[in-house]
Amino acid sequence: MVARMIDGKAMSAALEQTLEHAVANLVKAYDVAPCLYVVLVGEDPASQVYVRNKTRRTLAVGMRSIEIKLPATISQSALEDQVKALSRDPDVDGILVQLPLPAGLNSDAVIACIDPAKDVDGLTEVSAGRLLLGRPGLRPCTPTGCVILAKHSLGDLSGSHVVVIGRSILVGKPAGLLFLAQDCTVTLAHSRTKNLADVCKSADILVPAVGCPEMVKASWIKPGATVIDVGINKVADPRKGQGAARLVGDVAYEEALEVAGAITPVPGGVGPMTIACLLHNTVLAACARRGWANPDLTAAKWPT
Ligand code: GUN
């Protein structure tokens, strides 16, 4: 059996088409487009690519997007002041501080300066608390994308055993809670988990989010399982020439194809969905904050 590929690119395009429609209606009704601010500190090449993609796609659905680029040498207090100013500015609907921050800067303290009403990354204590308590709120983008992809692949997730590998605040922990909210049985595995391969093999839905190239082997996957690969790792690709590189996930994709029932590719799986969910959150934040009627976003035409 060869696994079905879960096409995150097509799924995100479908969601973005719905968002584009919704944004056009908001602009018609209220004469202003939602506005996302992305704060990038330092010159990390991967972060620069992520931020450029976020900006491009925010603009593509008709929203406003503004990048604030700050030097890696910025002081903690100057960075916090910058984020606090965005929190106060009534024209700002969403604030995203690209992570990781350069060494020496405390990301927790910076995130604490984000107004929870503008927390499109879902990382503030208020957003995390709402998620834990099952109250409405802005959810982290990558795990939200994972749940959408799993639901698209499987339909009802109720009773499925989900194994998430990784316990970060950006992905692992919120992914566990979001799958729990879908009535899944959730295992949060991590670097200290004993018999990790066996734990993974018991998963109906396996969600590796560790940043370790091709760590998950075919022998770790239950036949027919759904694999949602969060990892995006750059590895050398000498076949393409000296210094060339390619992107791989946390899953050994080629061999996993032979065992899994469905699998997300890297690139083109979870990555594009993360950005679509960010745009979705920005629309939701703008509507809630400005008292606009929530647009109907249920009409997304998911590709089959
Ligand atoms: N770095 C990698 N992924 C993300 C993300 O989803 N949000 C932020 N803020 N930084 C990231």
Side-chain angles (χ1 to χ4, degrees):
M1 187 179 76
V2 175
R4 215 162 19 86
M5 187 192 69
I6 303 173
D7 188 345
K9 221 169 150 177
M11 295 277 289
S12 62
L15 181 53
E16 282 169 32
Q17 200 170 32
T18 305
L19 288 169
E20 190 177 343
H21 229 80
V23 170
N25 285 335
L26 290 173
V27 171
K28 220 182 282 168
Y30 303 104
D31 218 22
V32 59
C35 184
L36 172 68
Y37 272 71
V38 180
V39 178
L40 175 61
V41 186
E43 315 237 311
D44 176 63
S47 290
Q48 285 174 330
V49 172
Y50 290 146
V51 166
R52 203 175 314 135
N53 281 335
K54 286 171 186 173
T55 303
R56 189 172 48 79
R57 285 170 58 189
T58 307
L59 297 172
V61 299
M63 294 196 285
R64 292 175 292 152
S65 178
I66 296 171
E67 278 177 34
I68 299 188
K69 290 186 179 143
L70 300 169
T73 51
I74 192 170
S75 70
Q76 180 76 28
S77 64
L79 178 56
E80 290 181 16
D81 286 346
Q82 180 72 249
V83 174
K84 282 181 196 161
L86 295 176
S87 288
R88 280 194 304 270
D89 184 342
D91 192 44
V92 176
D93 293 298
I95 303 169
L96 183 148
V97 178
Q98 186 66 26
L99 301 175
L101 291 174
L105 291 167
N106 175 349
S107 55
D108 289 347
V110 174
I111 288 166
C113 299
I114 298 173
D115 175 353
K118 304 180 179 186
D119 178 21
V120 288
D121 244 347
L123 294 180
T124 59
E125 290 182 6
V126 169
S127 298
R130 287 175 177 158
L131 170 59
L132 181 70
L133 297 173
R135 310 245 165 90
L138 294 164
R139 307 302 195 216
C141 305
T142 300
T144 301
C146 292
V147 173
I148 292 174
L149 292 174
K151 280 180 86 164
H152 175 70
S153 179
L154 294 169
D156 183 17
L157 304 183
S158 175
S160 296
H161 183 207
V162 178
V163 174
V164 179
I165 320 176
R167 52 180 159 173
S168 70
I169 58 161
L170 204 56
V171 184
K173 284 187 201 174
L177 290 167
L178 285 167
F179 278 108
L180 186 62
Q182 297 292 323
D183 298 318
C184 297
T185 304
V186 174
T187 301
L188 276 190
H190 48 80
S191 52
R192 301 291 178 91
T193 297
K194 289 181 181 148
N195 305 321
L196 181 59
D198 290 341
V199 172
C200 291
K201 197 146 190 176
S202 69
D204 303 309
I205 303 169
L206 183 59
V207 186
V210 279
C212 192
E214 301 181 324
M215 178 185 85
V216 174
K217 309 297 180 199
S219 60
W220 298 24
I221 299 170
K222 175 160 59 168
T226 295
V227 180
I228 310 288
D229 189 353
V230 180
I232 301 178
N233 310 290
K234 210 171 182 178
V235 295
D237 190 359
R239 280 177 308 178
K240 278 205 253 167
Q242 207 187 0
R246 66 192 170 103
L247 293 180
V248 299
D250 288 347
V251 178
Y253 185 77
E254 293 301 328
E255 59 178 77
L257 273 178
E258 306 296 322
V259 182
I263 185 167
T264 59
V266 177
V270 173
M273 279 306 287
T274 296
I275 299 184
C277 292
L278 169 69
L279 305 183
H280 189 190
N281 274 351
T282 305
V283 171
L284 293 181
C287 290
R289 209 178 56 83
R290 296 179 189 259
W292 294 349
N294 253 338
D296 180 14
L297 297 174
T298 54
K301 288 188 181 55
W302 301 120
T304 50

